């Protein structure tokens, strides 16, 4: 919105570039930045996991084991013990892409404060949809129809909630990862195409 208001957009548009190319370019540029941030934070997270990993007593540094062997063993054990965390991190990355595309969609037409308000509202409602649907089934059939309509139109952020699986140490299934990836791809293309 600010690009149109401050006329910066018209300086970019000196050459005939379609609007969709500019929007998709902004999206992929921001996704690259977000992906780099996730990679950097994942490396820091992995280093913290490696530092916390305890080795069996027979592999201590004082038992004539080289530093590189000790470190590689520590890395291998840390990865094996915490492998179930990485699909959860990937799902969080997909959720951030969905939030990004929603923000980009509304930033084209609205001022920043309105964009922020609508994005926060959509995220909160998207996380609470499951609770609202379960409560609405009890007494109000018209309310249930309205909520179900909203549920299918809005992005449902409940699909990205894998906290229970991570805390309990459960493996997130590959089918669920593919489904959440498709869901994110569907809403991303829908919002970029609108």
């Amino acid at each position: 919105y600010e690009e149109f208001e401050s006329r910066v957009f018209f300086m970019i548009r000196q050459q005939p570039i379609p609007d969709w190319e500019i929007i998709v370019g902004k999206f992929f540029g921001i996704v690259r930045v977000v992906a780099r941030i996730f990679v950097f934070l994942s490396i820091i997270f992995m280093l913290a996991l490696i530092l916390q990993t305890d080795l069996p007593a027979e592999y201590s540094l004082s038992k004539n084991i080289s530093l590189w062997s000790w470190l590689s063993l520590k890395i291998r054990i840390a990865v094996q013990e915490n492998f179930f965390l990485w699909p959860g991190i990937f799902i969080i990355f997909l959720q951030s892409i969905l939030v990004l595309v929603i923000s980009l969609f509304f930033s084209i037409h609205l001022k920043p404060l309105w964009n922020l308000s609508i994005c926060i509202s959509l995220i909160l409602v998207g996380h609470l949809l499951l609770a609202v649907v379960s409560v609405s089934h009890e007494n109000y059939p018209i309310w249930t129809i309205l909520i179900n309509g909203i549920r299918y139109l809005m992005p449902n952020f409940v699909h990205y909630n894998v906290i229970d699986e991570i805390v309990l140490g459960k493996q997130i299934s590959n089918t669920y990862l593919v489904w959440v990836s498709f869901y994110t791809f569907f809403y991303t293309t829908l919002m970029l195409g609108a």
Side-chain angles (χ1 to χ4, degrees), residues 5 37 77 102 110 120 132 134 146 151-152 159 165 186 193:
E5 205 170 77
I37 291 170
I77 291 174
I102 290 170
L110 300 173
I120 289 174
V132 171
S134 65
L146 178 68
R151 183 175 134 199
Y152 291 115
H159 299 308
E165 287 82 2
F186 171 74

Side-chain angles (χ1 to χ4, degrees), residues 117-176:
S117 302
I118 289 174
C119 287
I120 289 174
S121 300
L122 283 176
I123 291 167
L124 288 175
V125 170
H127 278 288
L128 297 174
L129 273 176
L130 189 62
V132 171
V133 168
S134 65
V135 169
S136 69
H137 283 289
E138 294 175 5
N139 299 326
Y140 306 103
I142 295 174
W143 182 249
T144 303
I145 293 169
L146 178 68
I147 294 297
N148 279 331
I150 292 171
R151 183 175 134 199
Y152 291 115
L153 288 175
M154 288 183 49
N156 191 350
F157 285 98
V158 174
H159 299 308
Y160 300 94
N161 188 2
V162 290
I163 294 172
D164 291 338
E165 287 82 2
I166 291 173
V167 168
L168 297 175
K170 295 181 182 176
Q171 181 68 33
I172 298 170
S173 71
N174 291 337
T175 308
Y176 190 74

Side-chain angles (χ1 to χ4, degrees), residues 98-114:
L98 188 59
V99 170
L100 166 73
V101 77
I102 290 170
S103 176
L104 184 63
F105 175 78
F106 287 111
S107 72
I108 295 169
H109 306 292
L110 300 173
K111 292 188 177 199
L113 186 59
W114 285 105

